[in-house]
């Protein structure tokens, strides 16, 4: 991925998914599917992200696993919203926020990337604003920052702070957005999160 979201990246993700699927290792398969869903989302291949979200939803229902179910809601939410099914997408994100239990996720195995509760709240904040619900947007932004601080997970704090800063920028709260951009840069510098350092500087600019 450091060389770009190329076809080679997708091939490697698919190989990894085939390996863990063959081994029947569902806990290890989830990070691969989540990363693959993000890969397609970043490339604007929303239909493929949606397909993975539906796949994770089926697996969650088969396994009767609430963690898988939360992840399915998180993948389906933005992908449905971006294909014109805004209300349905927001409902999935709202469900993910409601389902999240901070205590249950402190020691979740095989977790890569931001905490799902923080991600769900942050993305929900942006989408509620886009679709004309600023009050819920503000509530979700506060939830994202509160959860990230309570969990003590620096990567999630960088993720949540950036997305809330982006919301500040959209609303014309430029001083607040700049302060949060500086916070993202500070967190990233302390933990060598180069991508968040770069994004923080873009936001600050």
């Amino acid at each position: 991925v450091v060389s770009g979201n190329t076809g080679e990246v997708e091939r490697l993700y698919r190989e990894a998914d085939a390996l863990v699927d063959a081994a029947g290792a569902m806990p290890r398969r989830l990070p691969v599917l989540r990363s693959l869903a993000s890969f397609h989302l970043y490339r604007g291949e929303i239909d493929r992200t949606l397909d993975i979200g539906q796949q994770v939803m089926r697996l969650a229902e088969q396994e009767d696993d609430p963690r898988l179910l939360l992840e399915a809601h998180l993948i389906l939410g933005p992908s449905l919203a971006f294909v014109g099914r805004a209300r349905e997408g927001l409902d999935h994100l709202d469900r993910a926020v409601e389902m999240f239990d901070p205590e249950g996720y402190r020691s979740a195995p095989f977790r890569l990337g931001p905490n799902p509760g923080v991600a769900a709240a942050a993305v929900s904040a942006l989408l509620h604003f886009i679709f004309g619900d600023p009050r819920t947007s503000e509530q979700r932004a506060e939830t994202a920052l509160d959860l990230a601080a309570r969990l003590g997970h620096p990567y999630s704090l960088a993720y949540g702070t950036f997305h809330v800063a982006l919301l500040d920028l959209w609303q014309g709260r430029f001083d607040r957005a700049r302060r949060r951009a500086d916070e993202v840069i500070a967190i990233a510098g302390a933990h060598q999160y180069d991508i968040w350092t770069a994004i923080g500087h873009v936001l600050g600019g």
Side-chain angles (χ1 to χ4, degrees):
V1 172
V2 297
S3 299
N5 285 313
T6 64
E8 176 68 5
V9 174
E10 180 181 7
R11 184 185 67 78
L12 291 170
Y13 276 141
R14 296 288 182 188
E15 286 184 6
D17 185 40
L19 286 170
V20 292
D21 186 32
M26 188 57 229
R28 289 179 174 85
R29 191 177 182 202
L30 178 60
V32 180
L33 290 174
R34 185 193 311 111
S35 297
L36 189 55
S38 296
F39 168 84
H40 289 304
L41 190 68
Y42 297 152
R43 284 168 51 117
E45 299 164 346
I46 310 302
D47 56 336
R48 302 182 75 178
T49 303
L50 185 55
D51 286 343
I52 294 172
Q54 291 167 340
Q55 181 181 357
V56 175
M57 179 63 76
R58 288 193 297 270
L59 291 169
E61 292 169 347
Q62 291 169 10
E63 300 281 335
D64 193 24
D65 186 329
R67 289 186 179 184
L68 274 177
L69 186 59
L70 190 155
E71 297 281 1
H73 286 302
L74 179 54
I75 296 170
L76 286 170
S79 54
L80 285 167
F82 291 151
V83 297
R85 296 158 66 180
R87 184 65 267 166
E88 194 175 349
L90 290 172
D91 286 345
H92 277 287
L93 287 169
D94 290 345
R95 183 69 182 126
V97 172
E98 292 165 5
M99 289 180 64
F100 181 71
D101 174 12
E103 294 304 318
Y105 275 79
R106 285 186 184 278
S107 58
F110 309 116
R111 179 71 213 179
L112 300 174
N115 177 278
V118 175
V123 174
S124 177
L126 295 178
L127 290 180
H128 273 286
F129 179 79
I130 288 171
F131 292 112
D133 185 0
R135 179 177 297 181
T136 303
S137 174
E138 286 294 313
Q139 293 170 349
R140 292 288 186 261
E142 291 175 9
T143 297
L145 294 177
D146 179 61
L147 279 176
R150 288 167 59 194
L151 290 165
H153 186 221
Y155 193 90
S156 296
L157 187 58
Y159 180 99
T161 303
F162 167 78
H163 285 79
V164 174
L166 184 59
L167 182 63
D168 288 331
L169 187 68
W170 288 354
Q171 294 179 307
R173 299 186 300 218
F174 302 120
D175 289 343
R176 188 185 301 184
R178 180 56 192 266
R179 286 196 300 272
R180 295 199 201 280
D182 289 341
E183 290 174 21
V184 172
I185 294 167
I187 297 165
H191 298 279
Q192 297 183 318
Y193 300 151
D194 290 347
I195 184 63
W196 290 114
T197 299
I199 293 173
H201 281 297
V202 170
L203 184 64

